[in-house]
Amino acid sequence: MKRYEVIIEETVDETFSFEVPDNVDIYEYVKAKYYNEEIVLEPGECQFRQMKIYDLSDNSCTDWQEF
């Protein structure tokens, strides 16, 4: 029996709308809301997924493969 580690990566998107004053940097505004957990993406609309597999028996790995 072989042992593996598998990394799965997903890209999920969701649209948010904001009204901010002209003197506010929208990127900083959104980053702050995201890191303060005021913006949370819900699982759902997966746009892309891929995996990479590590074979622990011989320390080899595959390239990223979309699935």
Side-chain angles (χ1 to χ4, degrees):
M1 188 174 292
K2 290 178 122 181
R3 184 161 174 78
Y4 298 93
E5 285 184 349
V6 178
I7 299 171
I8 296 177
E9 180 180 274
E10 293 181 328
T11 302
V12 177
D13 71 19
E14 189 169 338
T15 302
F16 301 90
S17 295
F18 300 98
E19 273 189 44
V20 298
D22 292 339
N23 64 340
V24 172
D25 182 326
I26 185 64
Y27 294 105
E28 294 302 319
Y29 178 86
V30 172
K31 281 184 355 186
K33 287 199 165 292
Y34 180 83
Y35 287 119
N36 289 326
E37 298 179 1
E38 296 173 53
I39 298 174
V40 177
L41 278 72
E42 299 296 325
E45 190 63 39
C46 183
Q47 298 298 316
F48 179 78
R49 71 188 142 263
Q50 63 184 359
M51 77 169 74
K52 187 175 203 171
I53 301 172
Y54 289 91
D55 183 337
L56 299 177
S57 63
D58 65 5
N59 290 325
S60 65
C61 68
T62 67
D63 291 331
W64 285 102
Q65 296 177 3
E66 186 176 352
F67 69 100

